[in-house]
């Protein structure tokens, strides 16, 4: 987020880590489920067949893990929205324009990336910001953000992307920007806002601290074998 010469960066790294570790765990839970007898739906001439007790137990654990992970991700999105409101209030904004990654859902980016996009709380995050802004009398608009993170916000020249950094290719300008902040400034410029050099950028993190996550340590300690804590427990129970 940017306003004049001030910027706010909210890192969602912990949320990405949460998604990654959660999906690793769920993969193994699915494997576990597939080894037990599933319930079979009734069809004409055949009654419903119940699943085994082990299947039911494992299915309940999987549902609980899914709900837990969704809660964490949702909480992080709401916290991020909270930081955005605090920033908007502090700089005295009366109008907020938010970049909306429209069209990202229709694009086919392969199974893994499609799954990540599908799980992303896009509308949830946008609405969390919208409602809070409108509550405070700040007008809110969502605009298409396509192309905003690939040009220099000062001169509009094409820029080189390298990780999160954007380097202007215009030799007389040649400035470097943080891609997300540059994206925010480009959205501002396209919507009648002034773009200044950022003098002060606040950093905030949302989500659970992933470095202390037990699943992460397990994953790093035994990459290739039992990859997470749930996997280790599963391997243990199967060996017994
Ligand atoms: Zn430039």
């Amino acid at each position: 987020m940017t306003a004049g010469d001030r910027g706010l960066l909210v890192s969602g790294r912990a949320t990405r880590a949460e998604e990654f570790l959660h999906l690793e765990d769920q993969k193994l839970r699915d494997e576990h489920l597939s080894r037990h007898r599933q319930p079979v739906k009734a069809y004409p001439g055949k009654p419903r067949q119940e699943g085994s007790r082990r299947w039911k137990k494992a299915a309940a654990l999987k549902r609980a893990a899914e709900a837990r992970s969704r809660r964490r991700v949702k909480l992080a999105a709401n916290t991020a929205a909270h930081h955005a409101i605090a920033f908007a209030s502090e700089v005295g904004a009366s109008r907020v324009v938010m970049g909306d990654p429209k069209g990202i859902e229709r694009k086919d980016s392969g199974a893994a990336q499609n799954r990540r996009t599908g799980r992303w709380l896009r509308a949830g995050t946008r609405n969390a910001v919208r409602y809070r802004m409108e509550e405070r009398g700040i007008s809110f608009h969502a605009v298409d953000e396509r192309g905003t993170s690939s040009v220099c916000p000062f001169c509009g020249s094409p820029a080189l992307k390298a990780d999160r950094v954007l380097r202007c290719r215009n030799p007389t300008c040649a400035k470097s920007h943080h891609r997300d902040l540059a994206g925010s400034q480009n959205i501002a410029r396209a919507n009648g806002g002034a773009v200044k050099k950022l003098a002060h950028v606040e950093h905030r993190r949302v989500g659970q601290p992933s470095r202390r996550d037990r699943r992460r340590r397990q994953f790093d300690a035994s990459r290739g074998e039992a990859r997470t804590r749930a996997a280790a427990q599963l391997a243990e129970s199967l060996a017994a």
Side-chain angles (χ1 to χ4, degrees), residues 152-157 168-170 173-175 177:
C152 172
F154 292 152
C155 64
S157 312
C168 182
R169 274 201 293 204
N170 179 350
C173 172
K175 288 192 176 65
H177 313 272

Side-chain angles (χ1 to χ4, degrees), residues 52-111:
S52 70
R53 257 178 299 176
R54 282 188 173 186
W55 185 90
K56 274 186 215 163
K57 231 171 154 177
L61 283 174
K62 188 190 165 189
R63 273 198 308 277
E66 181 69 33
R68 194 161 54 238
S69 176
R70 296 319 277 164
R71 275 201 304 276
R72 281 181 186 155
V73 173
K74 206 171 165 187
L75 178 68
N78 281 328
T79 313
H82 188 83
H83 288 315
I85 311 305
F87 180 78
S89 302
E90 220 180 290
V91 298
S94 59
R95 181 165 170 257
V96 168
V97 183
M98 184 176 175
D100 194 14
K102 282 175 196 160
I104 203 170
E105 264 165 354
R106 266 162 283 147
K107 194 176 147 201
D108 188 17
S109 319

Side-chain angles (χ1 to χ4, degrees), residues 31-234:
E31 250 175 66
H32 181 59
L33 271 171
S34 73
R35 279 193 290 269
H36 296 290
R37 200 181 70 234
Q38 292 180 35
V40 182
K41 273 188 183 161
Y43 57 88
K46 256 238 150 143
R48 174 179 189 276
Q49 234 185 327
E50 253 197 292
S52 70
R53 257 178 299 176
R54 282 188 173 186
W55 185 90
K56 274 186 215 163
K57 231 171 154 177
L61 283 174
K62 188 190 165 189
R63 273 198 308 277
E66 181 69 33
R68 194 161 54 238
S69 176
R70 296 319 277 164
R71 275 201 304 276
R72 281 181 186 155
V73 173
K74 206 171 165 187
L75 178 68
N78 281 328
T79 313
H82 188 83
H83 288 315
I85 311 305
F87 180 78
S89 302
E90 220 180 290
V91 298
S94 59
R95 181 165 170 257
V96 168
V97 183
M98 184 176 175
D100 194 14
K102 282 175 196 160
I104 203 170
E105 264 165 354
R106 266 162 283 147
K107 194 176 147 201
D108 188 17
S109 319
Q113 191 58 35
N114 282 351
R115 185 175 54 231
R116 284 184 208 126
T117 339
R119 293 178 64 87
W120 185 14
L121 286 174
R122 197 164 34 263
T125 310
R126 187 184 59 229
N127 290 337
V129 176
R130 180 195 295 275
Y131 298 146
R132 286 177 176 82
M133 292 289 180
E134 285 172 353
E135 236 173 50
R136 283 164 180 76
I138 300 170
S139 82
F140 179 91
H141 310 272
V143 296
D144 195 350
E145 66 173 12
R146 260 190 81 185
T148 52
S149 62
S150 49
V151 295
C152 172
F154 292 152
C155 64
S157 312
L160 274 174
K161 300 175 192 176
D163 274 330
R164 302 316 293 163
V165 179
L166 200 65
R167 240 172 235 112
C168 182
R169 274 201 293 204
N170 179 350
T172 55
C173 172
K175 288 192 176 65
S176 287
H177 313 272
H178 185 284
R179 255 177 90 182
D180 294 330
L181 291 171
S184 169
Q185 290 188 309
N186 278 324
I187 291 168
R189 203 171 60 149
N191 290 277
V195 172
K196 287 186 202 160
K197 191 175 181 301
L198 293 175
H200 182 72
V201 178
E202 276 175 61
H203 292 258
R204 294 278 180 275
R205 262 187 283 175
V206 295
Q208 298 219 322
S210 60
R211 270 170 297 181
R212 272 177 254 152
D213 198 310
R214 266 183 295 178
R215 290 174 298 179
R216 180 80 228 178
R217 261 187 279 150
Q218 189 79 42
F219 181 86
D220 288 338
S222 52
R223 195 177 277 269
E225 283 172 68
R227 307 225 292 173
T228 57
R229 191 165 60 105
Q233 281 173 350
L234 197 61

